[in-house]
Amino acid sequence: MPAMAQLPKLEVNVKRADAGKDIGFEVTASGAVNASPATVWKILTDYERMPDYVPDMETAKVVSRTGNRVIVEQFGTARFLFFQRPIHLLVQVREEPMSVIEVSLVNGDMKTYVCRWEFTPLPEQGGTRITYSGKLVPKFYVPGMLGTKIVRGDIERMMQAVLERLDQPEDAKPLKVKDDQAG
C-alpha cells in the first residue's frame, strides 16, 4: 500500500509533569498500521497474549470480566540504565469496541497509571491509526534529569513492538525478543 508508506510510522512525545514531590510523565504516541480496526481490536484486547510481544511484560492474566470492564493483572520489569525493578500492576480496562481501550490503576507499583488507546480507521490507506496517551507516576525513584529520556525510550520500544505485531497476520504467534540487559 503506497499511501500507508507516506504516513509517519511512529511519533512519541513525553513531557515531565511534576505533581508536588512526585515526578510523573504525560505520554502520547501514535502510528499507523495496515490492519483494520477490527483486527487491531482483536489483538489488543487479547490481554493474556500481550507478553508475547510487549517488551518487559512477563505475564498478563485476566482476573475478571463484566460487560465492557476487565480486570487484568500484569507483571513485568522496569529498566533504568543499569538497574531493573520488578513491576506489578492490577488494572481495570474499559472497552469501547473497535475504538477505545481505557486503562486505570487499581493497585500496584505506580501512584498513577492511566492510559488510553484509540483506533481511527484510515479508509484511504486501508489501515488504522493507533494513538496511545497516558499519565504515569511511579512509586519508585526515576532520575529527574534522565527520566523523560528513559520513559520516552520505553514508550518507543513498547509502541514499536505493538505496531509491528499489528502489522503481522492476525493469527501470528510473534516471538518476543528478550533484552540482554543485566541488572
Side-chain angles (χ1 to χ4, degrees), residues 85-146:
R85 182 186 198 296
I87 296 291
H88 169 250
L89 298 177
L90 186 65
V91 297
Q92 176 176 268
V93 180
R94 188 181 68 77
E95 302 172 338
E96 291 180 28
M98 306 304 160
S99 63
V100 175
I101 298 172
E102 292 181 333
V103 181
S104 59
L105 181 68
V106 173
N107 196 358
D109 294 319
M110 302 289 277
K111 290 182 181 179
T112 303
Y113 181 80
V114 178
C115 67
R116 178 180 175 96
W117 294 86
E118 293 183 56
F119 318 125
T120 307
L122 300 171
E124 305 82 37
Q125 293 84 15
T128 306
R129 171 157 296 284
I130 314 300
T131 304
Y132 171 85
S133 59
K135 183 171 182 178
L136 318 168
V137 179
K139 283 185 178 176
F140 49 89
Y141 174 72
V142 177
M145 297 300 286
L146 296 173

Side-chain angles (χ1 to χ4, degrees), residues 49-71:
R49 293 215 32 208
M50 290 182 92
D52 292 345
Y53 59 92
V54 174
D56 300 325
M57 185 181 291
E58 294 161 14
T59 64
K61 178 184 175 191
V62 172
V63 175
S64 68
R65 180 181 287 275
T66 305
N68 70 338
R69 303 222 182 246
V70 185
I71 302 293

Side-chain angles (χ1 to χ4, degrees), residues 4-77:
M4 184 64 70
Q6 296 171 4
L7 292 172
K9 191 63 176 172
L10 177 61
E11 298 172 6
V12 176
N13 289 303
V14 176
K15 182 172 73 171
R16 188 172 152 165
D18 297 342
K21 62 180 168 75
D22 295 329
I23 295 175
F25 303 91
E26 292 177 1
V27 300
T28 57
S30 65
V33 295
N34 292 317
S36 70
T39 298
V40 168
W41 180 262
K42 184 174 181 183
I43 292 170
L44 290 184
T45 57
D46 188 355
Y47 306 110
E48 292 184 350
R49 293 215 32 208
M50 290 182 92
D52 292 345
Y53 59 92
V54 174
D56 300 325
M57 185 181 291
E58 294 161 14
T59 64
K61 178 184 175 191
V62 172
V63 175
S64 68
R65 180 181 287 275
T66 305
N68 70 338
R69 303 222 182 246
V70 185
I71 302 293
V72 180
E73 184 173 37
Q74 301 173 333
F75 288 93
T77 304

